[in-house]
Amino acid sequence: MKKLAKSLIFLWGVSGFTVTGCVVSAVPAPPVDSVAEAAGAAEKVSRTLWGDNVGAMDPFIDALLAKMTLEEKIGQLNLLTSGWDVTGPTMNEDYKDDIAAGKVGAVFNAFTASYTRSLQKIAVEQTRLGIPLLFGYDVIHGHRTIFPISLGEAASWDLAAIEAAARVAATEAAAEGVHWTFAPMVDIARDPRWGRISEGSGEDVYLSTQIATARVKGFQGEDLAALDTLLACAKHYAAYGQAQGGRDYHTTDMSERELWDTYLPPFQATVEAGVATLMTAFNDLNGVPTTGSAYLLDDILKTRWGFEGFVVTDYTSINEMVPHGFARDNRHATQLAINTGVDMDMQGAVFVDHLKALVLEGKVARDRIDAAARKILAMKYRLGLFDDPYRYMDEDRQQREIYKPENLQAARDMARKSMVLLKNADGLLPLRKNGLSLAVIGPLADSKADMIGSWAAAGDRHDKPVTLLEGIRAAVGDDTKVTYARGGGYEFDDTDRSGFADAMAIARTADVIILAMGEKWDMTGEAASRTSLDLPGTQPALMRALRELGKPMVLVLMNGRPLTINWAATEVDAILETWYAGTMGGFAIADVLFGDYNPSGKLPVTFPRSVGQIPLYYNMKNTGRPYDVNGVEQKYRSRYIDSPNTPLYPFGYGLSYTTFTYSEIRLDSAQMAAGGTLTASVTVTNSGARDGEEVVQLYVRDLVGSVTRPVRELKGFQKIMLKKGQSQTVTFALQPADLAFHRRDMSYGAEAGEFKLFIGGSSEAVKEADFTLLDTVVLRPAHSPQVRALPHYHSTRNPIASLTHE
Ligand code: BGC
């Protein structure tokens, strides 16, 4: 039973609240007096993180704004893309004219020191005030040296390595004149049909939040003006990951509680980490396109979270409010976007077309334009561009930084860490390097283009990536024979089986068959939704044909989403999930296949058995009729009649070449008080024959709540290295803040009552302990979502926005 009698109300500051409090060193934030103060605190945090010298910057920008015409200010809010030619990025001549006319504040998709310099020269030398351009680019998982796709990096559960990967990406991109990356993508995604699941950190709030913070730190470092850092951009705000039916750009509709408990926390974490910019999303949320949502942009982002950076739209998403049926035309859409808090228009060109007239008509306040321009100019100032507009564009540095050996080594290391061993029957892996005959087969075995996945920035798809075949050849001894056949195709409409014969021929004489199968690189990422999660093309048929030979078979998966691989899970001996492993992918996979690296990755996302189970994620609710595999009457239970409820592979799952055993859990107390800390310890032993790493995971379940609670929630993890035979005690510290959620009245807090705690190597961890939270602790008071979420919400802070939706 809950002990609701003792109910403590603590109003903790937004900036003080920590969701990372689950580590031993965590210290609870001090209480503050009011939420208003909390918002103020957040502002200070971000400006401090940006190293602001407000004393010098603010007067400089005041003076600059005083000199600027309305058109010049609007020009700063305009972001246009560079195009592509065979020789590299180019700029449409009309856009060059726009730059010279002061109608462009920022350019994206432009890189290389010389090319960005040539555009910068136009802005500096040909515009009246010489305000430098800001250069943005999608540097998502590497710039030239490509790391594993973001979902793959998340599978490493290695925050230091993820931060380091972002830093390498920033270093390379900044040397080519880039100032700003459109990353991290922090959308929680629980529907693998959605191709963009590959760009985020998976399904879990806690893991995604930690990774989001690590990436912001990695990109931005300690100093925005440093030449090896980039401005980061948290995207896509918000709830883009829950597109209905997994179809990209589709509607999202969800409860306020789901929004606040699941989809907003990673964004809030990036704001707390000092992210410089945020990007709106393409979707509408509960009826309001996010790019025109005063609730998201004004109320939550600016007022409650105190965000002081600038907000950019996604690509033409202001214009898209017209087909959404939310704006009558582009002018109306422009008015809605600017008045609700958008500062920069990506590629829609609607600000330059319509803002001036809207100001003259009195529908947009001049102050609002000034505020948006100020935020963008402030970022240029922080980057040091007013001191030297060309400071990032340095051919020598570019030469030195791109593909540095350390960068390639970091990419290889990250790739090894990202791989998840899904199956390893009879210890088939690791393979020995000598005296074997290996048949390497599949459309992904020797495909450079696929190795780096989607959103691979300036990554080379032709020469640089190391394929699996190349990696294997480089790893094995002279007395190991390696043969190769592509065998089949991975296009959706591939039916041609003529390559099967070659594949069968080399497989017949081999000791082990290594299959490289999955998805073609552009089947994941943006606009890559699928209705089936099966291996496409002739791959399944080829796999089945080869299985008939009865040889040991390893499946190396390359893909950007969970796949339904039920047949392989039963029939193939070993399965290694490698995602798209990046420039050094082939070497990294070989490191794992031959045991130079013992796999340590854990799934950041559930692998379902079938599309029909979607959405399937580990922290679901119990329902009123939970299915019990051991129960007697099972008909009227929450279950499928043609499939188990369970996934093929659960969240947090991943094997190693060694084994780990867990002791019972030890709690320092069976009770936690408000303001108190409870520690849970477990001794983990490497009980196998090899050194290895384990991701020790802590989950909790709140047994009774004022609203129903998930069956498990990740609240902490530690990745540890244990030599064979070695044991280590791992301790987690939990505080009431770690148990908080949006309660029945939408206040945010932890409720007194009984909890279960689980520790283990996956979300199905079996070691458990019970504890009681003695007091209800409210960390933030309730807000009124019903009123604020109305599509035509009238902000009281923004006089223009409050006028009308007109
Ligand atoms: C994507 C964004 C990306 C932008 C710029 C859009 O289509 O949704 O994630 O940052 O393009 O390339």
Side-chain angles (χ1 to χ4, degrees):
M1 275 294 289
K2 292 262 173 204
K3 293 192 183 168
L4 291 172
K6 265 171 90 184
S7 183
L8 302 187
I9 309 284
F10 288 167
L11 296 180
W12 282 0
V14 175
S15 63
F17 165 64
T18 171
V19 285
T20 61
C22 199
V23 289
V24 189
S25 60
V27 178
V32 296
D33 292 337
S34 73
V35 171
E37 270 185 43
E43 282 174 23
K44 283 192 212 100
V45 166
S46 48
R47 295 197 68 154
T48 311
L49 283 167
W50 297 331
D52 274 3
N53 176 0
V54 180
M57 181 176 81
D58 287 352
F60 174 87
I61 292 173
D62 288 343
L64 183 56
L65 282 170
K67 280 188 240 163
M68 293 170 77
T69 62
L70 179 60
E71 287 91 333
E72 283 166 339
K73 289 173 189 169
I74 292 170
Q76 288 302 307
L77 320 188
N78 190 26
L79 167 65
L80 291 181
T81 184
S82 158
W84 295 91
D85 205 344
V86 275
T87 52
T90 58
M91 198 85 185
N92 173 326
E93 287 305 318
D94 291 347
Y95 287 174
K96 284 190 183 170
D97 293 345
D98 287 340
I99 296 174
K103 290 184 178 171
V104 182
V107 168
F108 67 119
N109 288 332
F111 58 92
T112 74
S114 60
Y115 180 60
T116 51
R117 176 183 292 272
S118 70
L119 298 180
Q120 191 69 300
K121 233 167 129 50
I122 303 176
V124 171
E125 294 179 8
Q126 297 183 35
T127 64
R128 192 177 73 90
L129 294 170
I131 299 174
L133 293 168
L134 180 71
F135 289 97
Y137 195 31
D138 288 280
V139 180
I140 311 290
H141 52 109
H143 175 65
R144 295 267 183 187
T145 302
I146 302 301
F147 287 72
I149 57 164
S150 306
L151 189 63
E153 286 193 1
S156 73
W157 298 53
D158 188 329
L159 299 174
I162 292 171
E163 183 178 332
R167 170 45 53 85
V168 169
T171 306
E172 289 194 351
E176 294 216 54
V178 176
H179 308 127
W180 176 30
T181 175
F182 303 137
M185 192 275 220
V186 302
D187 297 312
I188 300 285
R190 294 175 167 180
D191 190 334
R193 291 172 298 184
W194 191 53
R196 305 201 78 169
I197 198 169
S198 62
E199 297 176 48
S201 302
E203 72 188 34
D204 181 60
V205 180
Y206 181 83
L207 180 61
S208 296
T209 300
Q210 303 287 312
I211 291 175
T213 304
R215 288 198 169 123
V216 170
K217 283 193 200 152
F219 287 127
Q220 293 194 172
E222 298 291 316
D223 178 7
L224 294 185
L227 290 174
D228 61 352
T229 61
L230 299 175
L231 306 181
C233 179
K235 70 185 188 185
H236 307 83
Y237 183 67
Y240 183 37
Q242 215 214 32
Q244 286 182 359
R247 174 152 62 80
D248 208 359
Y249 318 125
H250 204 357
T251 301
T252 59
D253 210 302
M254 67 178 69
S255 72
E256 278 290 306
R257 184 166 292 102
E258 179 79 340
L259 177 67
W260 279 91
D261 277 341
T262 304
Y263 290 87
L264 293 184
F267 287 97
Q268 185 172 0
T270 62
V271 172
E272 287 168 7
V275 74
T277 70
L278 248 96
M279 186 186 293
T280 65
F282 289 124
N283 54 290
D284 62 331
L285 170 63
N286 299 338
V288 182
T290 63
T291 305
S293 170
Y295 178 52
L296 287 175
L297 298 177
D298 189 25
D299 187 357
I300 298 175
L301 182 60
K302 286 177 194 151
T303 308
R304 290 192 215 178
W305 295 350
F307 178 63
E308 283 219 320
F310 70 80
V311 174
V312 62
T313 68
D314 205 344
Y315 202 106
T316 65
S317 63
I318 301 179
N319 318 48
E320 291 171 27
M321 289 201 281
V322 177
H324 265 300
F326 189 71
R328 286 185 302 277
D329 51 28
N330 282 348
R331 176 170 299 197
H332 187 206
T334 301
Q335 179 188 341
L336 292 171
I338 191 85
N339 282 339
T340 51
V342 167
D343 300 306
M344 186 183 273
D345 166 18
M346 184 194 286
Q347 196 56 21
V350 287
F351 277 7
V352 278
D353 284 350
H354 302 293
L355 266 186
K356 185 176 174 191
L358 288 166
V359 171
L360 298 180
E361 285 165 25
K363 290 185 171 154
V364 174
R366 280 178 193 269
D367 283 359
R368 176 67 196 102
I369 307 290
D370 282 5
R374 175 183 290 280
K375 281 186 259 179
I376 293 159
L377 293 170
M379 285 304 168
K380 293 183 178 183
Y381 184 96
R382 291 179 181 113
L383 290 166
L385 298 183
F386 290 108
D387 293 334
D388 175 3
Y390 306 104
R391 60 195 299 269
Y392 289 81
M393 298 138 184
D394 175 341
E395 276 80 0
D396 291 341
R397 202 156 51 82
Q398 173 179 312
Q399 202 63 36
R400 281 196 311 275
E401 295 298 338
I402 303 304
Y403 295 128
K404 266 196 313 207
E406 306 92 283
N407 298 0
L408 294 169
Q409 187 50 46
R412 179 171 180 165
D413 190 46
M414 183 79 246
R416 307 180 331 171
K417 287 178 166 158
S418 74
M419 291 171 196
V420 185
L421 184 63
L422 297 176
K423 181 178 181 189
N424 195 17
D426 303 324
L428 173 60
L429 294 178
L431 301 171
R432 62 176 199 272
K433 290 182 182 173
N434 294 97
L436 276 183
S437 172
L438 303 174
V440 182
I441 296 170
L444 286 146
D446 195 28
S447 170
K448 288 188 181 284
D450 288 298
M451 291 308 296
I452 60 176
S454 69
W455 288 116
D460 165 45
R461 286 191 196 277
H462 304 288
D463 304 312
K464 206 78 185 170
V466 179
T467 67
L468 174 60
L469 182 64
E470 290 168 338
I472 290 175
R473 286 204 164 126
V476 296
D478 292 343
D479 57 348
T480 281
K481 185 175 164 210
V482 179
T483 52
Y484 162 70
R486 189 168 191 272
Y490 56 14
E491 299 286 0
F492 293 123
D493 56 1
D494 269 331
T495 51
D496 179 7
R497 299 189 179 199
S498 58
F500 281 27
D502 282 352
M504 295 293 280
I506 63 165
R508 247 179 226 111
T509 59
D511 299 315
V512 179
I513 301 168
I514 301 178
L515 291 175
M517 293 187 171
E519 300 176 286
K520 190 181 174 194
W521 71 270
D522 61 2
M523 288 178 183
T524 66
E526 188 175 348
S529 297
R530 295 186 58 188
T531 57
S532 158
L533 300 178
D534 293 342
L535 289 167
T538 56
Q539 296 179 107
L542 177 61
M543 185 158 56
R544 283 168 200 252
L546 289 164
R547 184 74 237 174
E548 294 296 312
L549 299 175
K551 304 264 174 158
M553 195 146 109
V554 180
L555 172 61
V556 173
L557 286 172
M558 298 186 194
N559 48 292
R561 52 159 60 87
L563 295 176
T564 43
I565 47 165
N566 305 324
W567 188 86
T570 316
E571 301 298 326
V572 174
D573 304 285
I575 306 177
L576 181 67
E577 174 58 77
T578 70
W579 318 104
Y580 296 104
T583 307
M584 300 295 275
F587 289 146
I589 302 171
D591 287 342
V592 174
L593 292 180
F594 297 103
D596 291 331
Y597 182 79
N598 187 353
S600 63
K602 302 276 187 175
L603 292 178
V605 66
T606 301
F607 272 45
R609 295 172 192 272
S610 70
V611 168
Q613 291 180 303
I614 296 169
L616 186 67
Y617 48 94
Y618 83 94
N619 51 343
M620 59 193 176
K621 302 291 183 65
N622 201 37
T623 81
R625 293 188 176 195
Y627 177 66
D628 173 4
V629 272
N630 304 313
V632 185
E633 170 52 63
Q634 293 294 292
K635 169 75 175 157
Y636 295 101
R637 294 277 144 187
S638 181
R639 58 172 297 213
Y640 299 102
I641 56 172
D642 60 352
S643 162
N645 283 4
T646 52
L648 186 59
Y649 299 113
F651 174 84
Y653 169 84
L655 303 172
S656 161
Y657 294 150
T658 188
T659 49
F660 298 97
T661 49
Y662 283 73
S663 72
E664 296 305 319
I665 298 170
R666 299 177 296 278
L667 301 182
D668 66 340
S669 163
Q671 297 180 333
M672 189 198 288
T677 298
L678 177 136
T679 64
S681 305
V682 74
T683 302
V684 186
T685 303
N686 180 341
S687 44
R690 285 171 174 266
D691 301 349
E693 288 165 283
E694 170 72 328
V695 181
V696 183
Q697 303 161 41
L698 168 83
Y699 297 84
V700 295
R701 176 169 181 183
D702 184 349
L703 294 186
V704 180
S706 62
V707 291
T708 55
R709 308 288 300 123
V711 290
R712 281 183 189 201
E713 291 178 283
L714 182 70
K715 294 295 177 185
F717 62 87
Q718 292 179 38
K719 190 163 186 173
I720 56 168
M721 162 57 109
L722 290 179
K723 297 210 167 297
K724 65 178 172 186
Q726 194 188 354
S727 296
Q728 186 179 323
T729 296
V730 176
T731 301
F732 295 93
L734 274 179
Q735 294 159 351
D738 299 310
L739 308 174
F741 61 97
H742 287 86
R743 306 168 65 220
R744 178 92 178 261
D745 65 358
M746 285 304 283
S747 62
Y748 181 73
E751 294 181 344
E754 313 301 326
F755 288 78
K756 277 198 183 299
L757 182 151
F758 309 86
I759 301 180
S762 88
S763 59
E764 293 184 346
V766 289
K767 300 292 181 189
E768 62 175 81
D770 300 315
F771 72 93
T772 304
L773 176 63
L774 297 175
D775 311 298
T776 290
V777 180
V778 177
L779 301 164
R780 280 198 301 268
H783 53 274
S784 315
Q786 305 86 328
V787 177
R788 292 176 191 271
L790 282 176
H792 300 177
Y793 162 59
H794 295 169
S795 165
T796 47
R797 280 184 356 107
N798 181 340
I800 294 291
S802 73
L803 288 177
T804 169
H805 177 69
E806 282 301 293

